[in-house]
Amino acid sequence: MPDNKTVELPGFLTVRELSELLEASPIDVIKELMKNGIIANINQQIDFDTAAIVAEEMGFTAHAFVPEEIEDEEELEALPEWRKVIGDESEDALLPRSPVVTMLGHVDHGKTSLLDAIRNADVQSGEAGGITQHMGAYQVDHDGQIVTFLDTPGHEAFTAMRSRGARATDIAVLVVAADDGVMPQTREALDHARAAKVPIVVALNKIDRNNANPELVKKQLDEVGLTPDEWGGSTMVIPVSAITQEGLDDLLEAIVLISEDTDIRANPDGQVFGTVIEGVINRSRGVLATLLVQNGTLKTGQVVVSGTSCGKIRAMFDYRGTAISEAPPSVPVQIMGLDTVPVAGEPFKVVVNEKTARAIVEERAIAAKQQVKRETFTLDEIFARFQAGEAQTLNLVIKADAQGSLEPIVNSLQALDYGGLKVDILRSDTGNITETDIMLASASDAIVLGFCVEPDPAAKRLAENNDITIRSYNIIYKLIEDVDKALRGMLEPEFEQVTIGKAQVRAVFHIRRAGKIAGCYVTEGEIRRNAKARVLRGDKVLTETAVSSLKRFEQDVPEVRTGFECGVGLEKWDNLKEDDIIEFFVLEQVS
Ligand code: GDP
């Protein structure tokens, strides 16, 4: 069997292709799949995760294959959204799908009102034939052209989804109130939409207002690079009113026109995948998840995995609450059957069966734990990050009960500066700590500070799941002091080695694959698998390294105490001899 070989696997491949890559017979691959509960024939497509499990079991280390033409990070960013989403699909199989639209813009400019107005107009026109339910997305029919709206407006939600890898939006509608113009959050929203490289159409809302000044707003739009098409630019600026419903049809028309220009496509017969739009627990129906299908056709009875949630689809509903059995690309559906609430913005996919789903979830849970260890970002752990040169700023999300307390907090924190090390306040606002705050923190390695506010339950859950630190204070001085300490800590973290135990080498064995293993007797203290080791021969220190294995009677153990025998493997050190002393030590921060 090949030892330590690596193999690059695409997102999807047939059993035959996998067997060729693994230089194995297809029969062996099929047997391996069967061991994992998957009955597959030679031409059956399997996905990366499934293929990777088989590859690993056949002695390979599997990596995701990145096609050459999109290896370059910048090039990848520059690709249109649909291209990234449908990855491996062949050109011929791609068919146009309806565009997915998000509303962005300054607060109170009318995003929610427009989403409601568009939905209600469609219901009233009789086309939808019923009352829509809230599930995070809905569709409307504009002269036979379907448009899908994500109905959680705002760039915060948009970016939170993006930070989880979601590429759900095809077109952004930037809502600007005609009586208020381009405001700070309009610019911010614009930056977010531009960062996502989605085409933008401007909805010039509240056109019914007496003090509406569309010409002035167009000038402001021009200044931020959104030159209206009537001025020779390329931005469609559509005057609308969510209240009188004026211009809603024109807005839909503009969206359809842009979508025709943007090559929004997917393969309805391809592998099924997409993005989680929303997840909730319903008392009577259990976990309900809204999924946006982005490729393939989702069907009841299929097994879905998203993050560490999985399950067989027991029932599926469209945005009107009507039970459906199939959902092609761009269709949002609410599904029943997942075991836990999936996270919005997390990708989902369909896998062959529940056993595969559970194997994927297990692997992800393990990977997530390791990830958390690496990325946990508590105030105390900033020391380590800074020492490793990873952090130059302390990213903060600050929520306070009132503007009156927010301002002094922000001002004091911004004044903290230790030779270039400072805080970067990504967001400061009043109100409770919400899921959006946690997502922003999670996307930017930030910690969340609350002053006289608490996280709401969903935020708390999300923070726990993502290991985001939330610190709550009710004395401003304490908050500033803690951040100040963290920053000063970042400057000169000092560690000292503390010896925790010693072991004497009694015999040395050579174990295939593992290298040299020392049969040891612990003479002092306790030795630990996660400690560092120093090898002494006489009074000479030969090396300092990490412990690669610690076993008692073939069993991996976390620690061994004085008076016991054990097997010790050291990283990058094969020169062990009888009577060598291995000292085990940990690094402790000097306060
Ligand atoms: P959002 O924060 O962007 O979601 O804004 P909302 O949809 O909550 O709207 C903020 C306020 O503006 C509400 O009081 C709406 O009734 C009002 N509003 C929204 N659109 C219009 C409009 O087209 N005309 C007028 N007159 N008021 C509007």
Side-chain angles (χ1 to χ4, degrees):
M1 193 174 289
D3 199 9
N4 281 337
K5 266 196 182 177
T6 58
V7 62
E8 280 192 328
L9 301 173
F12 302 101
L13 73 174
T14 63
V15 169
R16 184 197 306 277
E17 287 161 346
L18 177 61
S19 67
E20 281 163 8
L21 285 171
L22 301 181
E23 293 166 18
S25 90
I27 304 293
D28 287 342
V29 171
I30 289 170
K31 277 191 196 158
E32 222 27 86
L33 283 165
M34 277 169 76
K35 273 197 226 156
N36 285 284
I38 301 161
I39 311 294
N41 65 40
I42 190 163
N43 292 318
Q44 193 150 333
Q45 280 226 326
I46 54 176
D47 62 15
F48 171 83
D49 288 316
T50 312
I53 292 171
V54 173
E56 302 273 341
E57 276 173 15
M58 296 181 78
F60 284 78
T61 309
H63 296 293
F65 169 71
V66 183
E68 232 171 56
E69 72 269 21
I70 58 166
E71 216 159 23
D72 185 296
E73 197 73 344
E74 266 184 30
E75 264 181 53
L76 182 70
E77 270 305 303
L79 281 173
E81 295 303 307
W82 66 267
R83 188 67 189 86
K84 273 180 260 177
V85 169
I86 50 184
D88 299 328
E89 291 293 355
S90 83
E91 274 292 306
D92 308 339
L94 296 172
L95 300 177
R97 59 173 175 80
S98 62
V100 181
V101 180
T102 301
M103 296 261 181
L104 309 176
H106 193 74
V107 65
D108 279 349
H109 278 197
K111 300 177 290 293
T112 315
S113 306
L114 275 173
L115 281 165
D116 288 346
I118 291 168
R119 172 170 25 199
N120 292 338
D122 195 61
V123 172
Q124 279 156 19
S125 77
E127 201 55 57
I131 294 163
T132 55
Q133 54 164 5
H134 172 82
M135 58 174 224
Y138 67 86
Q139 294 192 298
V140 294
D141 184 335
H142 173 73
D143 296 338
Q145 306 258 27
I146 304 292
V147 179
T148 304
F149 283 90
L150 299 184
D151 76 359
T152 312
H155 56 274
E156 292 91 348
F158 173 78
T159 294
M161 296 243 300
R162 287 213 314 125
S163 77
R164 305 207 69 83
R167 297 282 182 265
T169 300
D170 301 306
I171 296 170
V173 173
L174 186 65
V175 181
V176 187
D179 62 343
D180 204 22
V182 172
M183 297 301 281
Q185 280 182 40
T186 316
R187 284 193 208 97
E188 207 174 296
L190 179 60
D191 289 343
H192 284 240
R194 281 181 173 149
K197 301 205 157 46
V198 290
I200 296 159
V201 52
V202 174
L204 195 53
N205 192 34
K206 307 196 188 184
I207 203 75
D208 59 293
R209 287 238 166 125
N210 289 338
N211 55 345
N213 190 346
E215 291 311 304
L216 176 69
V217 182
K218 283 180 199 163
K219 209 168 142 245
Q220 295 171 338
L221 288 168
D222 183 42
E223 280 162 13
V224 294
L226 292 174
T227 311
D229 50 2
E230 59 184 291
W231 293 11
S234 57
T235 306
M236 289 200 237
V237 179
I238 317 293
V240 294
S241 165
I243 302 292
T244 67
Q245 307 212 336
E246 180 188 341
L248 296 188
D249 256 359
D250 299 337
L251 182 60
L252 289 172
E253 185 64 31
I255 291 168
V256 168
L257 280 174
I258 293 179
S259 78
E260 281 166 0
D261 254 11
T262 318
D263 202 8
I264 296 169
R265 298 188 294 169
N267 176 7
D269 298 320
Q271 288 290 328
V272 191
F273 58 88
T275 298
V276 176
I277 301 300
E278 205 174 89
V280 288
I281 292 196
N282 178 289
R283 265 209 200 141
S284 52
R285 299 201 286 171
V287 174
L288 291 176
T290 301
L291 308 182
L292 176 70
V293 180
Q294 289 174 290
N295 198 60
T297 299
L298 189 67
K299 296 175 186 152
T300 44
Q302 285 177 331
V303 178
V304 167
V305 195
S306 173
T308 51
S309 306
C310 66
K312 190 180 236 168
I313 304 180
R314 283 190 279 124
M316 204 154 79
F317 307 92
D318 67 8
Y319 66 97
R320 290 166 293 206
T322 311
I324 52 171
S325 55
E326 291 198 357
S330 287
V331 172
V333 281
Q334 194 170 53
I335 65 158
M336 275 167 65
L338 290 186
D339 55 354
T340 55
V341 179
V343 179
E346 198 73 55
F348 78 86
K349 66 179 177 182
V350 163
V351 295
V352 214
N353 59 21
E354 282 170 293
K355 191 169 176 199
T356 316
R358 275 193 295 273
I360 293 170
V361 165
E362 264 165 43
E363 274 193 14
R364 283 183 183 165
I366 294 167
K369 265 192 206 143
Q370 287 163 348
Q371 185 107 338
V372 163
K373 259 197 198 130
R374 218 178 48 236
E375 286 182 2
T376 299
F377 202 48
T378 63
L379 274 181
D380 309 327
E381 279 158 352
I382 289 164
F383 303 129
R385 280 178 63 94
F386 179 68
Q387 206 188 28
E390 288 171 20
Q392 286 293 326
T393 54
L394 170 55
N395 294 341
L396 297 176
V397 172
I398 301 166
K399 295 303 282 282
D401 57 341
Q403 199 63 31
S405 30
L406 196 57
E407 269 166 33
I409 292 173
V410 169
N411 290 343
S412 312
L413 290 178
Q414 273 168 345
L416 299 176
D417 184 345
Y418 292 94
L421 306 177
K422 48 186 161 184
V423 298
D424 191 356
I425 301 172
L426 304 176
R427 177 181 171 81
S428 61
D429 207 349
T430 53
N432 275 346
I433 297 162
T434 63
E435 263 182 308
T436 314
D437 299 322
I438 306 299
M439 282 174 189
L440 182 63
S442 155
S444 325
D445 273 343
I447 62 171
V448 182
L449 303 180
F451 181 73
C452 295
V453 292
E454 292 294 326
D456 62 31
K460 211 170 185 170
R461 196 170 54 230
L462 190 62
E464 276 165 14
N465 289 345
N466 290 282
D467 242 313
I468 298 297
T469 302
I470 302 177
R471 290 207 167 196
S472 297
Y473 298 84
N474 44 27
I475 302 172
I476 293 186
Y477 170 74
K478 279 300 294 172
L479 185 156
I480 309 292
E481 190 187 56
D482 264 16
V483 176
D484 184 60
K485 270 193 202 152
L487 277 180
R488 276 189 283 129
M490 285 161 88
L491 275 175
E492 280 163 15
E494 261 184 61
F495 293 93
E496 63 181 4
Q497 296 184 353
V498 178
T499 303
I500 54 165
K502 291 182 186 178
Q504 186 186 32
V505 179
R506 295 266 163 102
V508 178
F509 308 96
H510 187 83
I511 312 270
R512 208 166 70 85
R513 286 184 189 230
K516 292 258 172 77
I517 297 294
C520 293
Y521 179 78
V522 182
T523 55
E524 261 183 71
E526 178 184 90
I527 69 173
R528 286 184 217 145
R529 166 74 179 82
N530 62 2
K532 299 240 182 269
R534 185 185 297 127
V535 180
L536 290 125
R537 194 165 294 160
D539 48 13
K540 224 171 137 193
V541 177
L542 300 183
T543 186
E544 271 184 15
T545 182
V547 178
S548 60
S549 70
L550 182 60
K551 286 185 194 262
R552 268 183 64 71
F553 308 110
E554 307 286 308
Q555 293 278 321
D556 286 314
V557 290
E559 77 265 307
V560 181
R561 286 164 193 260
T562 312
F564 289 96
E565 288 182 333
C566 57
V568 177
L570 297 179
E571 263 175 34
K572 299 190 189 120
W573 188 254
D574 252 4
N575 178 17
L576 283 163
K577 291 222 165 83
E578 239 170 80
D579 289 334
D580 281 352
I581 300 291
I582 308 178
E583 277 185 0
F584 291 77
F585 64 92
V586 292
L587 291 179
E588 276 182 12
Q589 193 178 335
V590 187
S591 55

